């Protein structure tokens, strides 16, 4: 078709009417594209048609070939099946002959085996029946035993729950008081022979604590005094109290009963990390006040008592000076300074002691840290002891004319006579 189009310069002759017409290059390219596309579609259609015919022919040939092969295989299988049936018939005939010949022997063997099996069956059935009876009796016995034990435990649990529900906060507190009194009485004869530890029954001032601890030396001078308050709370108590709720009253009781220290033995706030670590110093709220758990009841008494014993020598000298009616103004000031200094050293030592007590309960990996804290505590005690050793009556009365004159008279009796 392309051959029929004649191109002369920019003119094209129509193959039908033989007329010439002009066309530009873009128009010519578009016509050429249309012609090529039409020819390509026609050729593609022809080839697809040819391919479809070839495909149908190939499928028909393949089907015919497959059918032929299947027919051959079917014939072979029929032949093999016939041969197998013949073999099986021969074998079946032989087996029937063998069965007929051994039928009598088999019947005898079956009868004997059946008899033996029946005997074993009867024996096993009897044993099984006996075991079932024994099992039932054992199960019944165990069931009765466990039901009885379970009932007893349920009754005990109900009893203790009822008893605990009936306990008021006061009753639980009294139980804690009895515990502390028992712990103290265990050591009273050996560790505290000169101590007074009794319930505070004097309510004349309008209030009273739980227990008062006092200790004096051989001359009747008081070494230490502690006002104790014991507080606990049952699990069923509706209103939960805090330790700080009782500190104001405890401080008032300490002041009214002329006690030097106040200690709250408490099981309140059981989950508090602050109160579970050891001895808690509450001096920032109330002077010389501590909160402890029951396991620190004896240690706090021992700690405060030992600190008071170290300063007892100076209390005795002070009592002697007061008995002689001496001017003790400067003496008291210096003693107060010493007591404050000693108190600071004691508090530092107490803090280190608390750290040591807390760390002792921890793992072995913390033993080195505990050792360092104890050594530091020992240093503070040594410093306080050195201060105590260096302190004398002469140093305390330095700057006091009256005291100086008295000591001069003691050192030079002749001067005293000349003065008279």
């Amino acid at each position: 078709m392309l051959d029929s189009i004649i191109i002369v310069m920019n003119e094209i002759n129509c193959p039908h009417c033989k007329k010439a017409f002009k066309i530009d290059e873009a128009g010519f390219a578009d016509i050429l594209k249309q012609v090529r596309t039409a020819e390509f579609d026609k050729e593609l259609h022809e080839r697809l048609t040819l391919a479809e015919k070839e495909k149908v022919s190939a499928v028909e040939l393949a089907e015919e070939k497959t059918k032929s092969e299947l027919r051959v295989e079917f014939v072979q299988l029929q032949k093999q099946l016939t041969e197998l049936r013949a073999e099986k018939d021969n074998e079946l005939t032989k087996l029937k002959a063998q069965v007929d010949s051994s039928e009598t022997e088999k019947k005898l063997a079956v009868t004997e085996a059946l008899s033996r099996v029946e005997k074993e069956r009867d024996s096993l059935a009897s044993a099984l029946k006996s075991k079932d009876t024994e099992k039932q009796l054992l199960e019944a016995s165990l069931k009765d035993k466990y039901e009885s034990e379970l009932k007893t435990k349920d009754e005990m649990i109900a009893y203790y729950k009822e008893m605990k529900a009936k306990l008021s906060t006061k009753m639980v507190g009294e139980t804690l008081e009895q515990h502390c009194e028992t712990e103290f009485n265990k050591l009273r004869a050996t560790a505290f022979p000169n101590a007074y530890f009794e319930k505070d029954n004097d309510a004349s001032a309008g209030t009273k604590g739980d227990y008062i601890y006092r200790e004096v030396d051989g001359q009747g001078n008081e070494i230490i005094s502690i006002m104790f308050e014991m507080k606990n709370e049952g699990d069923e108590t509706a209103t939960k109290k805090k330790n700080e709720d009782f500190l104001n009253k405890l401080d008032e009781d300490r002041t009214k009963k002329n006690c030097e220290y106040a200690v709250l033995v408490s099981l309140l706030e059981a989950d508090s990390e602050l109160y579970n670590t050891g001895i808690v110093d509450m001096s920032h709220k109330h002077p010389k006040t501590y909160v402890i758990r029951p396991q620190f009841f004896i240690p706090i008494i021992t700690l405060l008592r030992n600190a008071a014993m170290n300063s007892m020598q100076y209390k005795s000298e002070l009592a002697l000076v007061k008995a002689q009616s001496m001017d003790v103004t400067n003496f008291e000031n210096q003693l107060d300074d010493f007591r404050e200094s000693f108190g600071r050293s004691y508090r530092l030592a107490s803090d280190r002691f608390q750290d040591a007590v807390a760390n002792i309960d921890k793992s072995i990996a913390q033993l080195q840290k505990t050792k360092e804290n104890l050594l530091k505590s020992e240093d503070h005690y040594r410093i306080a002891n050195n201060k105590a050793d260096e302190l004398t009556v002469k140093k305390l009365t330095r700057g006091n004319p009256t005291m100086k004159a008295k000591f001069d008279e003691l050192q030079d009796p002749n001067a005293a006579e000349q003065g008279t």
Side-chain angles (χ1 to χ4, degrees):
M1 183 176 182
L2 291 173
D3 295 337
S4 63
I5 300 176
I6 301 173
I7 305 172
V8 180
M9 297 301 284
N10 292 330
E11 293 182 357
I12 297 177
N13 292 325
C14 178
H16 299 288
C17 62
K18 306 299 182 180
K19 291 183 179 182
F21 59 91
K22 294 183 179 180
I23 189 170
D24 57 8
E25 293 181 359
F28 178 77
D30 184 53
I31 293 172
L32 184 61
K33 181 179 178 182
Q34 293 179 14
V35 172
R36 286 179 177 176
T37 301
E39 288 184 353
F40 177 77
D41 291 342
K42 180 180 179 181
E43 185 177 357
L44 179 63
H45 178 72
E46 291 175 353
R47 291 192 177 186
L48 288 174
T49 303
L50 181 60
E52 184 66 25
K53 291 179 179 179
E54 291 178 353
K55 176 183 174 184
V56 172
S57 177
V59 169
E60 290 176 351
L61 290 174
E63 288 179 351
E64 189 65 26
K65 183 179 179 181
T66 302
K67 288 179 180 179
S68 177
E69 291 176 353
L70 289 173
R71 288 192 192 98
V72 173
E73 290 181 359
F74 180 72
V75 171
Q76 291 177 351
L77 289 173
Q78 282 183 334
K79 183 179 179 180
Q80 292 177 0
L81 181 61
T82 303
E83 293 175 355
L84 288 173
R85 283 178 178 174
E87 292 178 0
K88 292 296 180 182
D89 290 340
N90 293 332
E91 290 180 359
L92 184 60
T93 302
K94 293 179 181 179
L95 289 173
K96 285 182 177 180
Q98 292 177 0
V99 168
D100 292 339
S101 63
S102 61
E103 185 175 359
T104 304
E105 296 178 359
K106 290 171 67 176
K107 287 181 178 180
L108 292 174
V110 168
T111 303
E112 183 179 356
L114 184 60
S115 176
R116 185 169 59 252
V117 169
E118 287 178 349
K119 289 181 180 179
E120 292 179 356
R121 182 198 62 188
D122 295 339
S123 176
L124 290 174
S126 177
L128 181 61
K129 186 176 180 181
S130 176
K131 291 292 183 182
D132 288 339
T133 305
E134 184 179 351
K135 179 182 177 183
Q136 291 176 359
L137 293 175
L138 181 60
E139 288 179 350
S141 176
L142 290 175
K143 183 178 179 181
D144 294 340
K145 178 181 177 182
Y146 290 142
E147 287 181 351
S148 178
E149 291 181 356
L150 184 62
K151 183 179 180 181
T152 302
K153 290 181 179 179
D154 289 341
E155 291 176 352
M156 291 178 63
I157 292 172
Y159 169 76
Y160 284 118
K161 283 185 177 180
E162 183 181 1
M163 182 181 69
K164 192 173 183 181
K166 290 180 179 179
L167 284 175
S168 64
T169 301
K170 181 176 183 298
M171 291 176 66
V172 176
E174 289 176 352
T175 303
L176 179 59
E177 292 176 8
Q178 293 172 3
H179 166 75
C180 293
E181 185 173 358
T182 301
E183 291 299 311
F184 183 83
N185 288 334
K186 289 179 182 179
L187 301 173
R188 184 192 291 267
T190 55
F192 309 103
N194 298 323
Y196 168 89
F197 181 74
E198 301 293 342
K199 285 187 67 68
D200 181 17
N201 296 318
D202 183 11
S204 58
T207 182
K208 64 184 183 68
D210 287 335
Y211 280 86
I212 294 178
Y213 173 88
R214 295 186 189 275
E215 188 170 356
V216 296
D217 61 7
Q219 288 74 36
N221 298 317
E222 184 176 285
I223 300 174
I224 187 174
S225 58
I226 307 173
M227 171 63 72
F228 282 101
E229 185 80 13
M230 286 73 170
K231 288 298 176 186
N232 192 1
E233 200 164 46
D235 294 337
E236 292 81 8
T237 303
T239 305
K240 299 295 182 182
K241 297 290 185 178
K242 294 184 177 181
N243 290 316
E244 293 187 7
D245 296 340
F246 301 96
L247 295 183
N248 288 332
K249 176 183 177 299
L250 179 58
D251 185 61
E252 292 177 1
D253 294 337
R254 178 186 70 85
T255 303
K256 291 177 181 179
K257 300 302 171 63
N258 296 320
C259 292
E260 185 176 2
Y261 296 96
V263 176
L264 176 63
V265 184
S266 171
L267 286 174
L268 305 181
E269 301 181 65
D271 297 331
S272 172
E273 293 184 3
L274 173 64
Y275 298 112
N276 290 336
T277 54
I279 299 172
V280 181
D281 187 354
M282 303 298 291
S283 298
H284 60 285
K285 291 185 175 293
H286 301 284
K288 298 184 177 183
T289 301
Y290 299 89
V291 178
I292 63 170
R293 295 303 188 197
Q295 61 266 31
F296 295 102
F297 174 67
I298 296 299
I300 189 66
I301 296 177
T302 304
L303 184 65
L304 297 177
R305 177 175 176 266
N306 291 341
M309 292 291 289
N310 290 333
S311 62
M312 191 59 206
Q313 176 184 353
Y314 314 109
K315 289 184 178 181
S316 300
E317 292 183 0
L318 177 60
L320 179 61
V321 172
K322 286 182 177 180
Q324 295 175 352
S325 300
M326 294 183 177
D327 183 9
V328 292
T329 304
N330 293 330
F331 187 94
E332 289 178 345
N333 293 335
Q334 292 178 14
L335 183 60
D336 289 338
D337 292 340
F338 164 75
R339 293 181 66 181
E340 291 178 2
S341 176
F342 183 85
R344 286 193 298 271
S345 298
Y346 161 73
R347 283 192 295 273
L348 290 173
S350 177
D351 293 340
R352 298 298 180 186
F353 178 81
Q354 293 175 31
D355 292 340
V357 171
N359 289 329
I360 286 173
D361 293 334
K362 294 182 181 178
S363 62
I364 297 176
Q366 295 176 327
L367 287 176
Q368 184 61 36
K369 181 179 178 181
T370 304
K371 180 180 177 182
E372 293 175 1
N373 287 333
L374 290 173
L375 289 176
K376 290 180 181 179
S377 177
E378 182 182 3
D379 289 340
H380 288 297
Y381 275 119
R382 179 178 52 77
I383 293 171
N385 188 54
N386 290 340
K387 290 181 180 180
D389 290 340
E390 293 173 359
L391 187 63
T392 63
V393 175
K394 290 183 179 180
K395 288 184 179 181
L396 291 175
T397 57
R398 184 177 297 164
N400 190 321
T402 304
M403 293 290 292
K404 188 175 183 302
K406 292 292 184 180
F407 278 103
D408 290 341
E409 291 177 3
L410 293 175
Q411 293 175 0
D412 191 358
N414 294 328
E417 293 177 359
Q418 291 175 2
T420 56

